Amino acid sequence: MVITTLSHHIDIVWMHEAYRQTRKDGAAGVDGVTAEEYERSLGENLEELLNRFKTGRYKAPPVRRVNIPKGDGKKTRPIGIPTLEDKVLQRAVAMVLEAIYEQDFEDCSYGFRPGRSPHQVLELLWKGLMDMGGGWVLDLDIKGFFDNLDHGHLRGFLDKRVRDGVIRRAIDKWLKAGVMEDGRLTRSTMGTPQGGVVSPILANVYLHEVIDTWWEREVKPRMRGKSFMLRFADDVVMVFSEGKDARRVLEVLPKRLAKYGLTMSPEKTRLVEFRRPTWRAGTKRPEWKEQPGTFDFLGFTHSWGKSRKGRWTVVRRTSASRLKRAMKAIWLWCQRNRHRKVPEQHRQLSAKVRGHCAYYGITGNSKSLQKFRTQAERAWRFWLNRRSQRAKMTWRRFNLLKLRYPLPPARAIHSVYFSAAKP
């Protein structure tokens, strides 16, 4: 049903909870106000913000844009930084929208939803591929989704469930707020607020109508064989047991996306034959027209390989580009922070290694994890040796240093073996 009154749920208690959930260690927006300054009169500031929101006097400030290095450092990625006050209000509205749309979203959607993580998607993908014995994988890439989201279609999707005037007016203001870069303000009729807290829920609402419901109600019932789809934000993977089904969907997808102002990236969208190999170990491989391919999803390269028992299984390794980027970041950090004290460097490097393993530490990825940890040790020793003109940090001395300041082990935190060992 369509809900016409929602803003009365957003009161001062709701605003305090929104402020609690808002990150406070980020950079300041165009107003330059930090969390420390805002907290000096937190109650008064939230009361005044709530009053402006309810009466329509709230003006959405433009987003401050900065460019950070991307990948190998040759390219940059634009990042939007809203003001702290804007983040709090967006969080309050996002909390209301989540309560509404969590009842509507399909089970295939996992990105930016409470209680759902990318590791759950990876586990479902692995189980689905193993149960089907592989198949054809359609790796869909939507070109510039967050920059090309059509405001007209988004308003039409929101009209189906949320028509509260106060909330809809605030969303329209955020969509039209614009971007401030080098003192110049630019506005766009496309895309979601850069860096905005409300952007993920708006993106999920958009893709729920464009892809999720279309797949569940129109595509999946027409498939001859087994099929399933998983989506994390704008990263979509579709798996088919029959090649004809995969080619039919690939043919229709561009038309479906174009209907809502989106385009499919022809360079990154791939249809991969991902069937389980049939030859036995120790025998000559048959002549295949096309060997089983690989595909990347959520930072992992998926391929077929042998388990410890000699059975074919889907192997997931850190993708080459992600691993290269992570190792380069470690080298740059050690170079720029080599002047710090060794205990401080050790704490920071340990946190980086644990953070890397917290995401990439899954079953079968131990070699990539160990490679990253080894590179972290090499980078640390290399730049410790450059702290003066005299080379002092030999490997022998560094090995003695590691006894006192060891880096965390490369551990597969999300390993099925580790989970099975838990009581």
Side-chain angles (χ1 to χ4, degrees), residues 222-224 243-253:
R222 292 184 171 89
M223 297 293 99
R224 296 183 178 181
K244 292 183 179 180
D245 292 339
R247 287 186 286 271
R248 287 169 56 198
V249 174
L250 181 59
E251 184 179 354
V252 176
L253 259 175

Side-chain angles (χ1 to χ4, degrees), residues 9-22 38 42 45-47 49-51 53 85 88-93 95:
H9 292 291
I10 303 179
D11 53 14
I12 190 60
V13 178
W14 193 281
M15 296 296 292
H16 275 279
E17 176 62 20
Y19 181 80
R20 188 189 67 83
Q21 296 186 20
T22 302
Y38 199 80
L42 180 60
N45 290 333
L46 293 181
E47 285 277 7
L49 174 61
L50 179 62
N51 185 39
F53 167 67
E85 195 173 61
V88 175
L89 187 56
Q90 288 190 30
R91 173 62 65 187
V93 173
M95 289 163 56

Side-chain angles (χ1 to χ4, degrees), residues 311-328:
R311 299 173 182 172
W312 289 110
T313 184
V314 177
V315 179
R316 300 162 297 176
R317 305 279 171 79
T318 307
S319 61
S321 60
R322 293 289 187 93
L323 185 59
K324 182 179 178 181
R325 183 173 66 185
M327 292 190 298
K328 183 173 181 179

